[in-house]
Amino acid sequence: MGDVLMRHVAGWIGGVALSLSVSAGVLAAPAGSRVIGRQDRVVAGGKRVCVVDFVYAGRAPEDLFWEEPCAVVTAKMVDRRELEALDRWARLDADQQRFVERMPGGRVLYVAGRFSASVYPVDITGTSIEVTVAD
């Protein structure tokens, strides 16, 4: 009984990378919020957009469409300090700042292109919302 069964399972589900550890019959998802990946997609009219896949710790993976090709798009998890360094923190009102600080690990998805930038905190309804921090 002293041995604990540990297995690591990795693969793809619905285009999303999955990595799980199985211990004593319990599934444990990897901790931490992160950008899973991004890829260009062609939409109506032949326009290329960047699809950003991300996950917040303890939540299901999500994606968003940014209306520029991935080559000019930055997508990363940032904290308050990094938003301040980017001169974006002051663009958030007090409620939005609280939403960002309450994110798992204090990190929020930041996406920027040539002409705009946004963060995607989770609001009080549990929905990820876009908050523009640069135009």
Side-chain angles (χ1 to χ4, degrees), residues 31-89:
S33 301
R34 67 192 182 289
V35 174
I36 298 169
R38 55 191 198 137
Q39 66 181 11
D40 284 319
R41 182 175 291 168
V42 177
V43 294
K47 184 176 181 175
R48 285 187 354 188
V49 298
C50 186
V51 179
V52 178
D53 296 308
F54 66 101
V55 65
Y56 287 126
R59 295 178 53 91
E62 301 179 58
D63 61 18
L64 66 91
F65 289 74
W66 192 265
E67 295 188 14
E68 294 181 89
C70 289
V72 298
V73 173
T74 298
K76 60 185 179 177
M77 293 291 171
V78 297
D79 60 16
R80 176 184 179 157
R81 181 186 51 78
E82 291 166 297
L83 287 170
E84 288 173 339
L86 292 165
D87 292 324
R88 306 295 194 226
W89 184 254

Side-chain angles (χ1 to χ4, degrees), residues 4-135:
V4 175
L5 176 62
M6 288 287 290
R7 287 202 177 135
H8 186 79
V9 180
W12 291 86
I13 294 178
V16 175
L18 175 66
S19 178
L20 298 173
S21 295
V22 180
S23 173
V26 177
L27 291 179
S33 301
R34 67 192 182 289
V35 174
I36 298 169
R38 55 191 198 137
Q39 66 181 11
D40 284 319
R41 182 175 291 168
V42 177
V43 294
K47 184 176 181 175
R48 285 187 354 188
V49 298
C50 186
V51 179
V52 178
D53 296 308
F54 66 101
V55 65
Y56 287 126
R59 295 178 53 91
E62 301 179 58
D63 61 18
L64 66 91
F65 289 74
W66 192 265
E67 295 188 14
E68 294 181 89
C70 289
V72 298
V73 173
T74 298
K76 60 185 179 177
M77 293 291 171
V78 297
D79 60 16
R80 176 184 179 157
R81 181 186 51 78
E82 291 166 297
L83 287 170
E84 288 173 339
L86 292 165
D87 292 324
R88 306 295 194 226
W89 184 254
R91 296 286 306 262
L92 301 171
D93 68 28
D95 288 331
Q96 293 163 342
Q97 289 175 350
R98 278 192 292 279
F99 290 147
V100 169
E101 289 179 325
R102 289 181 186 147
M103 296 301 299
R107 299 176 65 76
V108 68
L109 177 66
Y110 171 80
V111 180
R114 287 181 278 216
F115 308 110
S116 185
S118 295
V119 293
Y120 294 84
V122 176
D123 69 7
I124 59 173
T125 67
T127 304
S128 295
I129 58 169
E130 178 179 18
V131 179
T132 302
V133 291
D135 304 339

